[in-house]
Amino acid sequence: MSMPTNTLSIFALGGLNEVGKNMYAIQNDDDIIVIDCGNKFPDESLLGIDLIIPDITYLVENKEKVKALIVTHGHEDHIGGIPYFLKQLNVPVYATRFTLGLIELKLREHKILRESELIEINPDSKVKIGDMDVSFFRVFHSIPDCLGIVFHTAQGNIVHTGDFKFDLTPASNEHSDIHRMAEIGREGVLLLLSESTNAERPGFTPSEQMVGEHLEQAFMKAKAKIFVTTFASNVSRLQQVVNAAQKTNRKLVLLGRTMVNVVKIAMERGYIIVPEEMIIEPRDMYDYASENLAILCTGSQGEPLAALARLSTGEFRDVDVLPGDTVIFAAGPIPGNERGITTIVDNLFELGANVIYGSGSTSGMHVSGHGYQEDLKLMLTLMRPKYFIPIHGEYRMLYHHRRLAESVGVEEGNTFILKNGDVVDIENSTPRQTREVPVGNTYVDGGEVGDLEYVLQDRKKISEDGMLMLILTINKAEGTLLAEPEVISRGFTDGDFSKFRKDIHRITMETIEELQAENRMKRNAIKKLLKRNVGQFIRSDSRKQPMIVPILIEL
Amino acid sequence: MSMPTNTLSIFALGGLNEVGKNMYAIQNDDDIIVIDCGNKFPDESLLGIDLIIPDITYLVENKEKVKALIVTHGHEDHIGGIPYFLKQLNVPVYATRFTLGLIELKLREHKILRESELIEINPDSKVKIGDMDVSFFRVFHSIPDCLGIVFHTAQGNIVHTGDFKFDLTPASNEHSDIHRMAEIGREGVLLLLSESTNAERPGFTPSEQMVGEHLEQAFMKAKAKIFVTTFASNVSRLQQVVNAAQKTNRKLVLLGRTMVNVVKIAMERGYIIVPEEMIIEPRDMYDYASENLAILCTGSQGEPLAALARLSTGEFRDVDVLPGDTVIFAAGPIPGNERGITTIVDNLFELGANVIYGSGSTSGMHVSGHGYQEDLKLMLTLMRPKYFIPIHGEYRMLYHHRRLAESVGVEEGNTFILKNGDVVDIENSTPRQTREVPVGNTYVDGGEVGDLEYVLQDRKKISEDGMLMLILTINKAEGTLLAEPEVISRGFTDGDFSKFRKDIHRITMETIEELQAENRMKRNAIKKLLKRNVGQFIRSDSRKQPMIVPILIEL
């Protein structure tokens, strides 16, 4: 049993009011255990940014207390921030075998695998971290080897579900451990943290079995090559493709680095069974008739550099999509990716392929890995928590999840809808929302990691309206110009710039004369007045407001 | 009847392999008639661009032949380019009364209303333009007063449907004129151009009646203010809101400039019936109890400056969304707009509103204005064309539309799937795809209109990786530096730039020394070598490749 402590605190460093970047923490007096460390992908407004990860300032400031990172499963929104996290906080990482495989790939890429401490656990593991006893339970999701977590504390049991759905006929043998969940619920759950991704969708999530049946039908019907694109990490979906290929006597080709890597890990660790000699190299595929080939490839989200995008434009070396081939999207579009995906669909149709696409519900080729409303109610019913924090999702999802909780018996007022950083403190087994810890977005931009506030401001300004550089060469002693002012623009106008140039020239000269007359030829005064006068002129002529950068060379 | 001509040509200047920017043309020896002149809105890759309109170079080069612009209806993707078109080709514009109202608004804004020739037509009009006889028929769509067009030519009849669906129980009295369509089909149609927007969707488009019923139920249930957001141009949807407000004894407030303008035009021209004294000013709304208020507002697509976005963040003067209010999205999300919309939905939930949203099919508050597969088949069946060109849509939509045409009897090989610019020439009543005319995108960027190729290239480069300016002051005669090189960056790094600066300094000096030693201190040589050397250094240290702008000041 744990030692009694005065206060137990729960908070999110990412994952609330957003989809992705999941990171939660549970803290008693001397220990902080972190749950997950995900990334999220930037939208188009974050110009040039590669990744968004949680700001872990609070953890770094409490470095000596941070005892462990527990990872529920291997999706990017739960593991993508780990290399950056470990570079600052080199604590043990607890995860299952398959999840560790994916984490290892990342750490190797960042060249920190050797110094990292990775601890393999399974659903039956019981570990003591600092003062806390921690146990686990198996949940089913769209990637192998997923965990929920139970923190056995003096305040009561705290349960974190990870990502899950209930699928009574999954494509793998990884059933949700409903019996264990029921047992946990019988023992008593003080506080449940449960994921909210599909809290707006009525009903139960459809079963993976449906996808298997549709895949098999499509494989039977196809008379030439079949391309299937899906998330590489959805190993049970990959297994279904393997099964369909086997039934229809097709060799399997893997395209895309992630697909090759993940299938390798999954085969080595026993999460996927592929018949011997089924997988062939792309360069060997034309040894086989087209009706004996299936190709598994990356790119289901329209990623412009992934295999499918290159196939759709005929730019993939050694492999062509030909008239009569079938292309199956066995993955739904993540919101925001629709445009990229449909461009690829159009290109594939132009190549003469038969394309099976659309949201899973229309094509039958995809089901969500996240539980719908009835799944969420089942989890709440099994766990019977006294208090509830909906996690993972935008506000509207958390809001709907609260309503679901109330519909199955969580008392009104016992649900906490939090923002990242909001702390729930538990004393005398009673949670209250109290203080806040600092949170935010940290950006990865090329090699740089930080808040990048000014860089992004500049990029945004220039990307919309362009910029104008005004270069003045000044005799410092005399306060006079040594050369004609130079005016250079980028991203501002393609048109007749000579008009602008002449006017800007004139305004610059007038500004300098004004300053000279007033004996104010100081760096800051010159820059400020130039920006103002040239800015005013441009606004009078154009709706664009380029960034104006005066540059003074003093000799 | 028309004079016999040797060849009749049909082509698109916009609208094929894209959604939006619709513009088609029909040409005989001496006459070109243009159909529609739409815009499309840029995606995020077109940094800073306001609008995309068709490149009309071909028409300008054949200026003396262009006889008229016929506009099928008043949506932006059919009228948004008109001001830019008329500034170059001041030809008569034929459109119905409501459509002309919207066009007039635009021309007034561009200050060219007075010199433009606008000719009002109706579904019974018959006009002769150049050598061509033209008649019309009424189609039903999500805006009043929509036309299909029949060109009576010596080659045969050519029909352009405009945008349409068949709604047998519309919310207005504007029924599709099925009898007239049947008559046209009986007379014989050589070639049909029909819109393809929903060619992928099975079944018939649901009726507007469904929306009316759902709106009324929601109005009955609501106990406080009701906000409804929809497309201002969907006047029959507005009428349904007026009707529901009337039944539940609510005053109506209009928010958003477009909403106010369009309702004004629709009321003046008799397209909407609003009970006297129902519309009140925003500032007067707090004279009424909240259950006696309905608010119609712009912003259904998540536009950040529209009324609903400002309401959702509490920034709308005089009007607040309060706990218990209802907000109804009576418009579906246009693909690409989902993220902006869901942000607003989240904010509205946070304000305590009951938000009714989602695609129309889930909320019941929206139906598409474009015909689904059965609507498209009905049009094809009524028209019985010998030849067919699917228009308006991405490749996959055109592809599916061809399959629909073949399923109702258009002979295989008689459908032309074209790209913008592809010309179908008709001789001896036989169409063949022949040559191409020049086409493209013209961008509107602030006050500038053009292809803006370099501007966009620069913006893209800088927005992703930032830029570095290297300023060298050179004694021209001696080929020596007069000052330390200046290094200035924007959008490149927030971090420790001093390291970069020092190295770049060093590389710049080395480069200059190399050039001096080889006696190559020429502008172009200096710029080229600086770009190369500094670029190489940065690539060795960072994955970013900023734009490098060497600036030489020669004294």
Coordinates of all heavy atoms in Angstrom, one line a residue, chain B residues 52-113:
Chain B
I52 N -9.1 33.8 -56.2 CA -8.6 33.2 -57.5 C -9.7 33.4 -58.5 O -10.8 33.0 -58.3 CB -8.3 31.7 -57.3 CG1 -7.4 31.5 -56.1 CG2 -7.6 31.2 -58.6 CD1 -7.2 30.0 -55.7
I53 N -9.3 33.9 -59.7 CA -10.3 34.1 -60.7 C -9.7 33.5 -62.0 O -8.5 33.2 -62.1 CB -10.6 35.6 -61.0 CG1 -9.4 36.5 -61.2 CG2 -11.4 36.2 -59.7 CD1 -9.7 37.9 -61.5
P54 N -10.5 33.3 -63.0 CA -10.0 32.7 -64.3 C -9.0 33.6 -65.0 O -9.2 34.8 -65.0 CB -11.3 32.4 -65.1 CG -12.4 32.5 -64.2 CD -12.0 33.4 -63.1
D55 N -8.0 33.0 -65.6 CA -7.2 33.8 -66.5 C -7.9 33.9 -67.8 O -8.3 32.9 -68.5 CB -5.9 33.0 -66.7 CG -4.9 33.7 -67.7 OD1 -5.3 34.6 -68.4 OD2 -3.7 33.3 -67.7
I56 N -8.2 35.2 -68.2 CA -9.0 35.4 -69.4 C -8.2 35.9 -70.6 O -8.8 36.5 -71.5 CB -10.2 36.3 -69.1 CG1 -9.7 37.7 -68.6 CG2 -11.2 35.7 -68.2 CD1 -10.8 38.7 -68.5
T57 N -6.9 35.6 -70.6 CA -6.1 36.0 -71.7 C -6.7 35.7 -73.1 O -6.7 36.5 -74.0 CB -4.7 35.2 -71.6 OG1 -4.2 35.5 -70.3 CG2 -3.7 35.7 -72.7
Y58 N -7.2 34.4 -73.2 CA -7.8 34.0 -74.5 C -8.9 35.0 -75.0 O -9.0 35.4 -76.1 CB -8.3 32.6 -74.5 CG -8.9 32.1 -75.7 CD1 -8.2 31.7 -76.8 CD2 -10.3 32.2 -75.9 CE1 -8.8 31.4 -78.0 CE2 -10.9 31.8 -77.1 CZ -10.2 31.4 -78.1 OH -10.8 31.0 -79.3
L59 N -9.7 35.3 -74.0 CA -10.9 36.2 -74.3 C -10.4 37.6 -74.7 O -10.9 38.2 -75.6 CB -11.9 36.2 -73.1 CG -12.5 34.9 -72.8 CD1 -13.4 35.1 -71.6 CD2 -13.3 34.3 -73.9
V60 N -9.4 38.1 -73.9 CA -8.9 39.4 -74.2 C -8.2 39.5 -75.6 O -8.4 40.4 -76.3 CB -7.9 39.8 -73.1 CG1 -7.2 41.2 -73.4 CG2 -8.6 40.0 -71.8
E61 N -7.6 38.4 -75.9 CA -6.9 38.3 -77.3 C -8.0 38.3 -78.4 O -7.7 38.5 -79.5 CB -6.0 37.1 -77.4 CG -4.7 37.3 -76.7 CD -3.8 36.1 -76.6 OE1 -4.3 35.0 -77.1 OE2 -2.7 36.2 -76.0
N62 N -9.2 37.8 -78.0 CA -10.3 37.7 -79.0 C -11.4 38.7 -78.6 O -12.6 38.4 -78.8 CB -10.8 36.3 -79.1 CG -9.8 35.4 -79.7 OD1 -9.7 35.3 -81.0 ND2 -9.1 34.7 -78.9
K63 N -11.0 39.8 -78.1 CA -11.8 40.8 -77.6 C -13.0 41.2 -78.4 O -14.2 41.2 -78.0 CB -11.0 42.1 -77.4 CG -11.6 43.0 -76.4 CD -10.5 44.1 -75.9 CE -11.1 44.9 -74.8 NZ -10.0 45.6 -74.0
E64 N -12.8 41.3 -79.7 CA -13.9 41.8 -80.6 C -15.0 40.7 -80.8 O -16.1 41.1 -81.2 CB -13.3 42.3 -82.0 CG -12.8 41.2 -82.9 CD -11.6 40.4 -82.4 OE1 -10.9 40.9 -81.5 OE2 -11.4 39.3 -82.9
K65 N -14.6 39.5 -80.5 CA -15.6 38.4 -80.7 C -16.5 38.2 -79.5 O -17.6 37.7 -79.6 CB -14.9 37.1 -81.0 CG -14.2 37.0 -82.3 CD -13.8 35.7 -82.7 CE -13.0 35.7 -84.0 NZ -12.3 34.4 -84.3
V66 N -16.0 38.7 -78.3 CA -16.7 38.4 -77.1 C -18.0 39.3 -77.0 O -17.9 40.5 -77.0 CB -15.9 38.6 -75.8 CG1 -16.7 38.3 -74.5 CG2 -14.6 37.8 -75.9
K67 N -19.2 38.6 -77.1 CA -20.4 39.4 -77.3 C -21.2 39.5 -76.0 O -22.0 40.4 -75.9 CB -21.3 38.7 -78.3 CG -20.7 38.6 -79.7 CD -20.5 40.0 -80.3 CE -20.0 40.1 -81.7 NZ -19.0 39.2 -82.1
A68 N -21.0 38.6 -75.0 CA -21.9 38.7 -73.8 C -21.4 37.7 -72.8 O -20.7 36.8 -73.0 CB -23.3 38.3 -74.2
L69 N -21.8 38.1 -71.5 CA -21.6 37.2 -70.4 C -23.0 36.8 -69.9 O -23.8 37.7 -69.6 CB -20.8 37.9 -69.3 CG -20.7 37.2 -67.9 CD1 -20.0 35.9 -68.0 CD2 -20.1 38.1 -66.9
I70 N -23.3 35.5 -69.9 CA -24.6 35.1 -69.3 C -24.3 34.5 -67.9 O -23.4 33.6 -67.8 CB -25.3 34.0 -70.2 CG1 -25.4 34.6 -71.6 CG2 -26.6 33.6 -69.6 CD1 -26.1 33.6 -72.6
V71 N -25.0 34.9 -66.9 CA -24.7 34.4 -65.6 C -25.9 33.5 -65.1 O -27.1 33.9 -65.1 CB -24.5 35.5 -64.6 CG1 -24.2 35.0 -63.2 CG2 -23.4 36.4 -65.1
T72 N -25.6 32.3 -64.7 CA -26.7 31.3 -64.4 C -27.3 31.6 -63.1 O -28.5 31.4 -62.8 CB -26.2 29.9 -64.4 OG1 -25.1 29.7 -63.5 CG2 -25.7 29.5 -65.8
H73 N -26.5 32.0 -62.1 CA -27.0 32.4 -60.8 C -26.0 33.1 -60.0 O -24.8 33.3 -60.4 CB -27.5 31.1 -60.0 CG -26.4 30.2 -59.7 ND1 -25.8 29.3 -60.6 CD2 -25.7 29.9 -58.5 CE1 -24.9 28.6 -60.1 NE2 -24.8 28.9 -58.8
G74 N -26.4 33.6 -58.8 CA -25.6 34.6 -58.1 C -24.6 34.1 -57.0 O -24.2 34.9 -56.2
H75 N -24.2 32.8 -57.0 CA -23.2 32.4 -56.1 C -21.8 32.9 -56.5 O -21.5 33.1 -57.7 CB -23.2 30.9 -56.0 CG -24.2 30.3 -55.1 ND1 -24.8 29.1 -55.3 CD2 -24.7 30.8 -53.9 CE1 -25.7 28.9 -54.4 NE2 -25.7 29.9 -53.5
E76 N -20.9 33.1 -55.5 CA -19.6 33.6 -55.7 C -18.8 32.9 -56.8 O -18.1 33.4 -57.5 CB -18.8 33.7 -54.4 CG -19.3 34.7 -53.4 CD -19.2 36.1 -53.9 OE1 -18.2 36.4 -54.6 OE2 -20.1 36.9 -53.6
D77 N -19.0 31.5 -56.8 CA -18.2 30.7 -57.7 C -18.8 30.9 -59.1 O -18.3 30.2 -60.1 CB -18.1 29.3 -57.3 CG -19.5 28.6 -57.1 OD1 -20.4 29.4 -56.8 OD2 -19.6 27.4 -57.2
H78 N -19.8 31.7 -59.3 CA -20.3 32.0 -60.6 C -20.3 33.5 -61.0 O -20.4 33.9 -62.1 CB -21.7 31.5 -60.8 CG -21.8 30.0 -60.7 ND1 -21.9 29.2 -61.8 CD2 -21.6 29.1 -59.7 CE1 -21.8 27.9 -61.5 NE2 -21.7 27.9 -60.2
I79 N -20.2 34.4 -59.9 CA -20.2 35.8 -60.2 C -18.9 36.6 -59.6 O -18.7 37.7 -60.0 CB -21.4 36.6 -59.6 CG1 -21.4 36.6 -58.1 CG2 -22.7 35.9 -60.1 CD1 -22.5 37.5 -57.5
G80 N -18.1 35.9 -58.8 CA -17.1 36.6 -58.1 C -16.0 37.2 -58.9 O -15.3 38.1 -58.5
G81 N -15.8 36.8 -60.2 CA -14.8 37.3 -61.0 C -15.3 38.4 -61.9 O -14.5 39.0 -62.7
I82 N -16.6 38.7 -61.9 CA -17.2 39.6 -62.9 C -16.6 41.0 -62.9 O -16.3 41.5 -64.0 CB -18.7 39.7 -62.7 CG1 -19.4 38.3 -63.1 CG2 -19.4 40.8 -63.5 CD1 -20.9 38.3 -62.9
P83 N -16.3 41.7 -61.7 CA -15.7 43.0 -61.8 C -14.4 43.0 -62.6 O -14.2 43.9 -63.4 CB -15.5 43.4 -60.3 CG -16.5 42.5 -59.6 CD -16.6 41.3 -60.3
Y84 N -13.6 42.0 -62.3 CA -12.3 41.9 -62.9 C -12.4 41.7 -64.4 O -11.7 42.2 -65.3 CB -11.4 40.9 -62.3 CG -11.3 41.1 -60.8 CD1 -12.2 40.4 -59.9 CD2 -10.4 42.0 -60.2 CE1 -12.2 40.6 -58.5 CE2 -10.4 42.2 -58.9 CZ -11.3 41.5 -58.0 OH -11.3 41.7 -56.7
F85 N -13.4 40.8 -64.8 CA -13.7 40.5 -66.2 C -14.2 41.8 -66.9 O -13.7 42.1 -68.0 CB -14.8 39.4 -66.2 CG -15.4 39.1 -67.5 CD1 -14.8 38.1 -68.3 CD2 -16.5 39.7 -68.1 CE1 -15.3 37.7 -69.5 CE2 -17.0 39.4 -69.3 CZ -16.4 38.4 -70.0
L86 N -15.1 42.5 -66.3 CA -15.7 43.6 -67.0 C -14.7 44.8 -67.2 O -14.8 45.5 -68.1 CB -17.0 44.2 -66.3 CG -18.2 43.3 -66.3 CD1 -19.4 43.9 -65.6 CD2 -18.6 42.9 -67.8
K87 N -13.7 44.9 -66.3 CA -12.7 45.9 -66.4 C -11.9 45.7 -67.7 O -11.3 46.6 -68.3 CB -11.8 45.9 -65.2 CG -12.4 46.6 -64.0 CD -11.5 46.5 -62.7 CE -12.4 46.9 -61.5 NZ -11.6 46.6 -60.2
Q88 N -11.8 44.4 -68.1 CA -11.1 44.1 -69.4 C -12.0 43.9 -70.6 O -11.6 44.1 -71.7 CB -10.2 42.9 -69.2 CG -9.1 43.1 -68.1 CD -8.1 42.1 -68.2 OE1 -7.3 42.0 -69.2 NE2 -8.0 41.2 -67.2
L89 N -13.2 43.5 -70.3 CA -14.1 43.2 -71.4 C -15.5 43.7 -71.1 O -16.3 43.0 -70.5 CB -14.2 41.6 -71.6 CG -12.9 40.9 -72.1 CD1 -13.0 39.4 -71.8 CD2 -12.7 41.2 -73.6
N90 N -15.8 44.9 -71.4 CA -17.0 45.5 -71.0 C -18.2 45.1 -72.0 O -18.6 45.9 -72.8 CB -16.9 47.0 -70.9 CG -18.1 47.6 -70.2 OD1 -19.0 46.9 -69.7 ND2 -18.2 49.0 -70.2
V91 N -18.6 43.9 -71.8 CA -19.7 43.4 -72.6 C -21.0 43.3 -71.8 O -21.0 43.4 -70.6 CB -19.4 42.0 -73.2 CG1 -18.1 42.0 -74.0 CG2 -19.2 41.0 -72.0
P92 N -22.2 43.2 -72.5 CA -23.4 43.1 -71.7 C -23.5 41.8 -70.9 O -23.0 40.8 -71.3 CB -24.5 43.0 -72.8 CG -23.8 43.4 -74.1 CD -22.4 43.2 -73.9
V93 N -24.1 42.0 -69.7 CA -24.2 40.9 -68.8 C -25.7 40.5 -68.7 O -26.5 41.4 -68.4 CB -23.7 41.3 -67.3 CG1 -23.9 40.1 -66.4 CG2 -22.3 41.7 -67.4
Y94 N -26.0 39.3 -69.0 CA -27.4 38.8 -69.0 C -27.6 38.0 -67.7 O -26.8 37.0 -67.5 CB -27.7 37.9 -70.2 CG -27.7 38.6 -71.5 CD1 -26.5 38.9 -72.2 CD2 -28.9 39.0 -72.1 CE1 -26.5 39.6 -73.4 CE2 -28.9 39.7 -73.3 CZ -27.7 39.9 -74.0 OH -27.7 40.6 -75.2
A95 N -28.6 38.3 -66.9 CA -28.8 37.5 -65.7 C -30.3 37.9 -65.2 O -30.9 38.8 -65.6 CB -27.8 37.8 -64.6
T96 N -30.7 37.0 -64.3 CA -32.1 37.3 -63.7 C -32.0 38.4 -62.7 O -31.0 38.8 -62.3 CB -32.6 36.0 -63.0 OG1 -31.7 35.6 -62.1 CG2 -32.9 34.9 -64.0
R97 N -33.2 38.8 -62.3 CA -33.4 39.9 -61.4 C -32.6 39.8 -60.1 O -31.9 40.7 -59.7 CB -34.9 40.0 -61.1 CG -35.3 41.3 -60.5 CD -36.9 41.3 -60.6 NE -37.5 42.0 -59.5 CZ -37.4 43.3 -59.4 NH1 -36.9 44.0 -60.3 NH2 -38.0 43.9 -58.3
F98 N -32.7 38.7 -59.5 CA -32.0 38.5 -58.2 C -30.5 38.4 -58.4 O -29.7 39.1 -57.7 CB -32.5 37.2 -57.5 CG -31.9 37.1 -56.1 CD1 -32.4 37.9 -55.0 CD2 -30.8 36.2 -55.9 CE1 -31.8 37.8 -53.8 CE2 -30.3 36.1 -54.6 CZ -30.8 36.9 -53.5
T99 N -30.1 37.7 -59.4 CA -28.6 37.6 -59.7 C -28.1 39.0 -60.0 O -27.0 39.3 -59.5 CB -28.4 36.7 -60.9 OG1 -29.1 35.4 -60.6 CG2 -27.0 36.4 -61.1
L100 N -28.8 39.8 -60.8 CA -28.3 41.1 -61.1 C -28.2 42.0 -59.8 O -27.2 42.8 -59.7 CB -29.3 41.8 -62.1 CG -29.2 41.4 -63.5 CD1 -30.1 42.2 -64.4 CD2 -27.8 41.5 -64.1
G101 N -29.1 41.8 -58.9 CA -28.9 42.5 -57.6 C -27.6 42.2 -56.9 O -26.9 43.2 -56.5
L102 N -27.2 41.0 -56.9 CA -25.9 40.7 -56.3 C -24.7 41.2 -57.1 O -23.7 41.6 -56.6 CB -25.8 39.1 -56.1 CG -26.8 38.6 -55.1 CD1 -26.7 37.0 -55.0 CD2 -26.7 39.2 -53.7
I103 N -24.9 41.1 -58.4 CA -23.8 41.6 -59.3 C -23.7 43.1 -59.1 O -22.5 43.6 -59.0 CB -24.1 41.2 -60.8 CG1 -24.0 39.7 -61.0 CG2 -23.1 42.0 -61.7 CD1 -24.5 39.3 -62.4
E104 N -24.8 43.8 -59.0 CA -24.7 45.3 -58.8 C -24.0 45.6 -57.6 O -23.2 46.6 -57.6 CB -26.2 45.8 -58.8 CG -26.8 46.0 -60.1 CD -28.3 46.3 -60.1 OE1 -28.7 46.8 -59.0 OE2 -29.0 46.0 -61.1
L105 N -24.2 44.9 -56.5 CA -23.4 45.2 -55.3 C -21.9 45.2 -55.5 O -21.2 46.0 -55.1 CB -23.7 44.1 -54.2 CG -24.9 44.2 -53.3 CD1 -24.9 43.0 -52.3 CD2 -24.9 45.5 -52.5
K106 N -21.5 44.1 -56.3 CA -20.1 44.0 -56.6 C -19.6 45.1 -57.4 O -18.5 45.7 -57.2 CB -19.8 42.7 -57.3 CG -19.7 41.5 -56.4 CD -19.2 40.3 -57.2 CE -19.4 39.1 -56.2 NZ -18.7 39.3 -55.0
L107 N -20.3 45.5 -58.5 CA -19.9 46.5 -59.4 C -19.8 47.8 -58.7 O -19.0 48.7 -59.0 CB -20.8 46.5 -60.6 CG -20.8 45.2 -61.4 CD1 -21.7 45.4 -62.7 CD2 -19.4 44.7 -61.8
R108 N -20.8 48.1 -57.8 CA -20.8 49.3 -57.1 C -19.5 49.4 -56.2 O -18.8 50.4 -56.2 CB -22.0 49.4 -56.2 CG -22.2 50.8 -55.6 CD -23.6 50.9 -55.0 NE -24.7 50.9 -55.9 CZ -25.7 50.0 -55.8 NH1 -25.8 49.2 -54.8 NH2 -26.7 50.0 -56.7
E109 N -19.2 48.3 -55.6 CA -17.9 48.2 -54.7 C -16.7 48.6 -55.6 O -15.8 49.2 -55.1 CB -17.8 46.8 -54.2 CG -17.4 46.8 -52.7 CD -17.5 45.4 -52.2 OE1 -16.5 44.6 -52.5 OE2 -18.5 45.0 -51.6
H110 N -16.7 48.0 -56.8 CA -15.5 48.3 -57.7 C -15.7 49.6 -58.5 O -14.9 49.8 -59.4 CB -15.4 47.1 -58.6 CG -14.7 45.9 -58.0 ND1 -13.4 45.6 -58.2 CD2 -15.2 45.0 -57.1 CE1 -13.1 44.5 -57.5 NE2 -14.1 44.1 -56.9
K111 N -16.7 50.3 -58.2 CA -17.0 51.6 -58.9 C -17.1 51.5 -60.4 O -16.6 52.3 -61.1 CB -15.9 52.6 -58.5 CG -15.7 52.8 -57.0 CD -14.9 54.0 -56.7 CE -14.8 54.4 -55.2 NZ -14.2 53.3 -54.4
I112 N -17.7 50.4 -60.9 CA -17.9 50.3 -62.4 C -19.3 50.0 -62.7 O -19.6 49.5 -63.8 CB -17.0 49.2 -63.0 CG1 -17.2 47.9 -62.3 CG2 -15.5 49.6 -62.9 CD1 -16.5 46.7 -63.0
L113 N -20.2 50.2 -61.7 CA -21.6 49.9 -62.0 C -22.2 50.8 -63.2 O -22.8 50.3 -64.0 CB -22.5 50.1 -60.7 CG -24.0 49.9 -60.9 CD1 -24.3 48.5 -61.4 CD2 -24.7 50.1 -59.6

